[in-house]
Amino acid sequence: MRELARNDQRSYYIEGNTARKLNTAPQRVERPERKERIERPVNPKIANNSRRAKAFDLRYTVALVTATTLLFVFCINMLTLQATVTEQRKQVASKERQLNALKDENDETSKRLESSVDLTKVYDVAVNELGMVYPKNGQVVSYEASHPDYVKQFKDVPEK
């Protein structure tokens, strides 16, 4: 009767396949004891390569230090060149601003000079006071100069 009473307490009715099982715990799986490693004979070439790969030899260290030093020198050189280029760009921009300012000033001065000269008065003084006349046919001589903007005459112009 005691068993019946105990079973009544534990059992209850659940429909379907999702009914849970009471008092179930996962089974412990015992691992077998580890066996000691069996020492196998090692190929001497493999052992030698293994030792060589693990060790830092002097050649590797010198090569690494040399490569690191060269990389550092190249980086410093690149940064120096970049700073120089940046400074030169700033100087070019400054010179361009000065050039534009001088061109503007030159244009203003040219306009002011052109507007200050009265060409009719110049013509009147040249013809009436100085006795100048327009050239006749054959009196005009063409001359090609290396700088067409400005010609300074030191001697007579040759006749062809």
Side-chain angles (χ1 to χ4, degrees), residues 96-110:
E96 284 178 349
R97 282 192 297 273
Q98 288 177 356
L99 177 66
N100 288 335
L102 288 174
K103 281 183 178 179
D104 291 343
E105 183 181 336
N106 193 17
D107 290 343
E108 289 174 10
T109 304
S110 294

Side-chain angles (χ1 to χ4, degrees), residues 35 38 41 45 49 54 84-85 87 118 130 134 151:
K35 296 179 184 177
I38 300 171
K45 287 183 180 178
N49 285 342
K54 290 179 184 177
T84 303
V85 167
E87 183 62 31
D118 185 15
L130 300 176
Y134 279 106
V151 175

Side-chain angles (χ1 to χ4, degrees), residues 145-151:
S146 59
H147 298 289
D149 297 347
Y150 178 75
V151 175

Side-chain angles (χ1 to χ4, degrees), residues 64-140:
L64 186 63
V65 167
T66 304
T68 305
T69 304
L70 284 175
L71 181 66
F72 183 72
V73 168
F74 289 146
C75 287
I76 295 295
N77 189 25
M78 187 194 73
L79 290 175
T80 304
L81 289 175
Q82 190 174 13
T84 303
V85 167
T86 303
E87 183 62 31
Q88 287 176 349
R89 283 184 181 169
K90 286 180 183 178
Q91 289 176 358
V92 166
S94 172
K95 297 294 181 184
E96 284 178 349
R97 282 192 297 273
Q98 288 177 356
L99 177 66
N100 288 335
L102 288 174
K103 281 183 178 179
D104 291 343
E105 183 181 336
N106 193 17
D107 290 343
E108 289 174 10
T109 304
S110 294
K111 287 180 183 176
R112 187 171 35 92
L113 288 175
E114 287 174 5
S115 65
S116 69
V117 175
D118 185 15
L119 294 179
T120 57
K121 185 173 181 179
V122 170
Y123 178 78
D124 187 44
V125 169
V127 170
N128 294 332
E129 292 181 18
L130 300 176
M132 295 180 83
V133 293
Y134 279 106
K136 296 178 183 167
N137 288 339
Q139 288 182 326
V140 176

Side-chain angles (χ1 to χ4, degrees), residues 28-51:
R28 277 191 176 212
V29 178
E30 303 249 348
R31 292 185 181 172
E33 290 184 24
R34 286 191 160 181
K35 296 179 184 177
E36 290 185 27
R37 283 191 162 181
I38 300 171
E39 296 273 336
R40 289 189 230 158
V42 179
N43 188 346
K45 287 183 180 178
I46 295 174
N48 192 15
N49 285 342
S50 174
R51 267 187 267 116

